[in-house]
Amino acid sequence: MNPLQNDPRIEYGLRPVINASGTMTGLGASIVSPETVEAVASFLPHFVEMSDLQRKAGAVIAEATGAEFGVVTASASAGVSQAIASYMVGADLGKAERLPDVDGLARTEVVMQIGHMVNYGAPIDQAVRLTGATLVPVGTSTETKEYQLAAALNERTAVGLYVVSHHVVHYGQLSLAAFARVCHAHGVPVICDAASEYDLTGFLKAGADVVVYSGHKFLSGTTSGIVAGPKVVVRGVYLQSYALGRGMKVGKEGVVGAMVALRSWAKRDHAAVRAKEDGTLRLWKERLEKIPGITPTITPDPTHNPLSRLHVAVDPDKANITAWDLADRLAAGDPPVIVRDHEVEWHYFFLDPCNLHPGQETIVAERVEQECAWARTQPAPVRSNLDDRNRAKEQALLRWPD
């Protein structure tokens, strides 16, 4: 069955975008796997005792990750907040209900490398501050040393937070193993935010006490977060659902979706998926390298996920268009193609093959060819002001829904 037949986006007046950006929340994260869709649909008409459903999910998470137990949250961001809160108040519901008021609590500080203080759609420091905790930045944006981390740890430190993401600074930072070793030497546990990572077991083995994943990115589940760790900490995360986490509550569809996604992940033919994605990357490279001013290079994922993307460098003098103008025209065209343009000011963007439906890889190549051909017909290079572009995007957000 063609998933694009009877496309509901048309009925609802939504643009039928093609996602060449990756597992982005702003685009709906991922293509939910058929088995997850079927399982969630089967549960939707029925009532279930959520505490028991979470108990079943905890066992599935433990099996998939090697942790003692697990729990499903509304998102990875919610999982980070609830895990921090668990380390601050444990299973004490009285204290949990007072958060973010931390008056009288012994451990209220969270240490984090400055190079990991990213924005993933919201500032990660806000996920910390929601609990009432005080974030203690460590090091500088380009360098963190073990002695700097050690100096930041004290009797008020509740936990160390470590982020694995393409957003973080990828040089000069402490490894997870080093970060955990220093924290553990001072009796401080470590939470690892690994929202968009393939590896379900390695971060715990590297020293993290708790790992938080997204259920709706590479796992292709419904929107959820997955928290894996010691049962006593997971219990505290679950109990936050009756306190600070109530506003982040996950529904039955999120819990079931995460369970099925984890089980499906274990059975997925990852080699076949990789071969398909590599074929798309080769197709894109072969077609785009023929375009004047475009230099395509297949590059590995920066966090060592077993995937690659196409780095599309744009020489505005030879292509007659800037990387950001090309990205914007691709997004505004028919069909709209959304590329990964987080670093577009450096005159490149990425094409990610992981969320394409069959045939869309060819459409993406055609759209790039079309827009570049259009640019070559222009009397002068298409070069909008980058600051104006960024300001316009910000203003459009602030004007929503207008």
Side-chain angles (χ1 to χ4, degrees):
M1 177 180 175
N2 183 347
L4 298 183
Q5 288 179 342
N6 303 317
D7 191 330
R9 294 175 295 184
I10 306 302
E11 178 185 351
Y12 283 85
L14 299 168
R15 297 198 309 155
V17 298
I18 294 176
N19 179 7
S21 182
T23 53
M24 299 297 169
T25 297
L27 294 175
S30 67
I31 300 169
V32 179
S33 64
E35 55 269 38
T36 301
V37 172
E38 181 179 358
V40 169
S42 72
F43 263 82
L44 288 176
H46 301 291
F47 297 103
V48 63
E49 295 167 290
M50 291 297 295
S51 61
D52 199 28
L53 181 61
Q54 284 278 26
R55 189 178 294 111
K56 302 298 184 186
V60 173
I61 295 168
E63 181 179 3
T65 64
E68 186 178 8
F69 210 62
V71 67
V72 180
T73 58
S75 64
S77 182
V80 168
S81 295
Q82 291 179 231
I84 291 170
S86 177
Y87 275 116
M88 290 168 64
V89 303
D92 189 324
L93 265 178
K95 292 179 180 178
E97 289 178 354
R98 293 206 304 269
L99 293 179
D101 180 356
V102 297
D103 186 42
L105 295 183
R107 294 180 178 268
T108 60
E109 294 182 356
V110 176
V111 296
M112 186 179 184
Q113 298 181 86
I114 292 177
H116 285 195
M117 291 176 60
V118 300
N119 186 308
Y120 47 69
I124 192 167
D125 55 289
Q126 188 167 41
V128 176
R129 289 185 285 106
L130 282 171
T131 67
T134 299
L135 181 65
V136 179
V138 176
T140 68
S141 62
T142 57
E143 183 180 75
T144 305
K145 300 295 187 181
E146 290 190 19
Y147 75 84
Q148 293 171 323
L149 174 59
L153 302 172
N154 56 60
E155 68 279 358
R156 297 183 301 277
T157 310
V159 69
L161 178 58
Y162 192 95
V163 180
V164 181
S165 169
H166 66 278
H167 290 298
V168 304
V169 177
H170 288 290
Y171 61 91
Q173 308 302 304
L174 295 178
S175 68
L176 173 57
F179 187 87
R181 182 178 66 253
V182 175
C183 285
H184 290 163
H186 291 76
V188 174
V190 172
I191 298 170
C192 178
D193 178 353
S196 192
E197 300 305 303
Y198 272 48
D199 189 347
L200 297 180
T201 60
F203 301 112
L204 288 171
K205 293 176 181 177
D209 298 278
V210 167
V211 183
V212 182
Y213 297 96
S214 169
H216 58 280
K217 291 193 174 177
F218 288 124
L219 288 173
S220 299
T222 45
T223 302
S224 63
I226 296 168
V227 180
K231 183 180 288 186
V232 65
V233 180
V234 171
R235 178 180 293 118
V237 174
Y238 172 75
L239 289 175
Q240 285 298 320
S241 299
Y242 295 86
L244 180 138
R246 178 64 175 179
M248 311 170 185
K249 66 181 179 183
V250 62
K252 59 189 175 185
E253 64 279 5
V255 180
V256 171
M259 293 169 66
V260 176
L262 285 169
R263 287 171 172 162
S264 299
W265 185 256
K267 297 181 291 185
R268 184 178 300 184
D269 187 342
H270 293 281
V273 172
R274 180 68 189 265
K276 180 181 177 182
E277 292 176 354
D278 286 347
T280 294
L281 291 170
R282 288 193 298 271
L283 168 71
W284 286 344
K285 184 176 185 296
E286 290 169 2
R287 293 184 62 163
L288 271 57
E289 64 188 2
K290 299 174 183 177
I291 303 174
I294 302 296
T295 304
T297 307
I298 297 174
T299 60
D301 179 72
T303 63
H304 308 297
N305 283 318
L307 60 89
S308 297
R309 298 180 182 91
L310 192 72
H311 178 284
V312 182
V314 182
D315 183 332
D317 295 322
K318 296 179 180 178
N320 216 37
I321 191 170
T322 67
W324 55 88
D325 286 305
L326 179 53
D328 288 347
R329 286 191 61 84
L330 288 168
D334 183 18
V337 173
I338 311 299
V339 303
R340 194 181 188 95
D341 65 348
H342 300 91
E343 302 161 19
V344 74
E345 64 269 27
W346 293 105
H347 301 287
Y348 63 81
F349 56 78
F350 290 94
L351 295 178
D352 189 312
C354 75
N355 268 317
L356 298 177
H357 290 291
Q360 289 184 334
E361 67 280 4
T362 301
I363 296 173
V364 170
E366 291 172 348
R367 290 282 294 109
V368 176
E369 291 167 340
Q370 290 166 1
E371 295 301 343
C372 287
W374 172 85
R376 291 194 298 274
T377 68
Q378 302 308 298
V382 180
R383 191 190 296 265
S384 66
N385 183 279
L386 186 59
D387 289 336
D388 289 343
R389 173 192 189 255
N390 294 337
R391 189 179 306 110
K393 285 180 175 288
E394 177 183 318
Q395 290 172 348
L397 173 62
L398 296 176
R399 286 195 306 269
W400 186 93
D402 297 327

